[in-house]
């Protein structure tokens, strides 16, 4: 990071994904961007932005275009959602029952042919840490898994290893704000702020699967 500078990362989950009731991590589905009032409120809350990034996923690119119709956003493959492998396209109700796993075990669980949450953290963390050199305010449109990986980076190795950030709810069109500060530290400002409520929700019993 540049000496004395801070970088604010504003992580936005894409608009509601049109999944057809089936899991979509790397499955490329569109987003429902019809909530004009919600988009306007979120754009206003974001304020001035210095850099814009997005996952390559269609649902993220559509969301970014609706937020900033006059500005292009660069895409970064490191920001993709978790790859659920053989589970991609399976109806949520037909997914295997993993039982009562601890956060630490769940973080290491890898669907057949896919990624674990620990894999996502290993992919997303370095990409976000590199953004700390930018300075200014960086808006990132990505996925629930990407946002939870960002929180794991900010909260440290124990949070990542224990799968603690899997307990955070990350709603569509929600914003999570973290700041990289000089010296290598991170500050979490809010999690899951939405235009509907204006209230950040931190720890909940949300499912670990986000699309």
């Amino acid at each position: 990071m540049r000496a004395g500078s801070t970088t604010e990362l504003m992580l936005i989950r894409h608009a509601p994904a049109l999944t057809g009731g089936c899991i979509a991590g790397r499955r490329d589905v569109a987003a429902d961007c019809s909530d004009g009032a919600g988009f306007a409120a979120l754009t206003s809350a974001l304020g001035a932005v210095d850099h814009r990034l997005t996952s390559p996923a269609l649902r993220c690119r559509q969301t970014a275009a609706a937020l900033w119709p006059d500005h292009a956003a660069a895409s970064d493959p490191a920001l993709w959602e978790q790859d659920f492998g053989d589970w991609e396209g399976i109806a949520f109700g037909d997914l295997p029952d993993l039982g009562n796993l601890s956060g630490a075990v769940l973080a290491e669980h890898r669907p057949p042919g896919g990624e674990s949450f620990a894999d996502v953290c290993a992919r997303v963390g370095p990409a976000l840490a590199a953004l700390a050199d930018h300075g200014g305010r960086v808006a990132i449109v990505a996925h629930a898994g990407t946002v939870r990986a960002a929180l794991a980076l900010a909260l440290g190795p124990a949070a990542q290893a224990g799968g603690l950030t899997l307990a955070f709810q990350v709603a569509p069109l929600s914003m999570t704000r973290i700041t990289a500060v000089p010296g290598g530290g991170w500050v979490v400002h809010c999690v899951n702020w939405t235009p509907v409520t204006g209230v950040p929700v931190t720890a909940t019993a949300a499912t670990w699967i986000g699309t």
Side-chain angles (χ1 to χ4, degrees), residues 3 12 21 28 35 50 55 64 67 69 73 96 100 105 109 119 171 197 208:
I12 303 138
D28 209 10
D35 183 6
D50 299 308
S55 158
L67 284 169
N100 188 23
V105 173
H109 183 272
D119 294 331
T197 64
W208 68 291

Side-chain angles (χ1 to χ4, degrees), residues 13-154:
R13 186 182 176 191
H14 55 75
L18 301 174
T19 66
C22 299
I23 191 168
R26 296 299 179 90
R27 191 165 64 94
D28 209 10
V29 298
D32 177 2
C33 295
S34 62
D35 183 6
F39 273 97
L42 181 54
T43 302
S44 177
L46 287 166
V49 174
D50 299 308
H51 308 282
R52 297 170 182 83
L53 288 173
T54 180
S55 158
L58 174 62
R59 54 196 183 271
C60 296
R61 291 185 282 112
Q62 290 174 325
T63 299
L67 284 169
W68 307 290
D70 298 325
H71 299 276
S75 68
D76 184 344
L79 302 176
W80 257 111
E81 178 60 287
Q82 182 173 348
D83 184 347
F84 292 106
D86 293 349
W87 293 1
E88 295 280 353
I90 294 178
F92 288 109
D94 293 334
L95 290 170
D97 184 358
L98 299 181
N100 188 23
L101 301 182
S102 69
V105 173
L106 191 57
E108 295 291 341
H109 183 272
R110 187 177 288 115
E115 293 180 298
S116 67
F117 178 65
D119 294 331
V120 177
C121 291
R123 167 168 52 82
V124 172
L128 297 184
L131 290 174
D133 289 330
H134 280 252
R137 308 182 78 236
V138 182
I140 299 167
V141 181
H143 310 270
T146 313
V147 174
R148 293 185 181 113
L151 289 167
L153 173 66

Side-chain angles (χ1 to χ4, degrees), residues 38 41-42 45 173-175 189-201:
L42 181 54
L173 278 187
S174 67
M175 174 174 61
H189 299 281
C190 73
V191 178
N192 200 43
W193 183 95
T194 65
V196 175
T197 64
V199 176
V201 180

Side-chain angles (χ1 to χ4, degrees), residues 167-169 201-206:
F168 283 92
Q169 181 177 346
V201 180
T202 50
T204 73

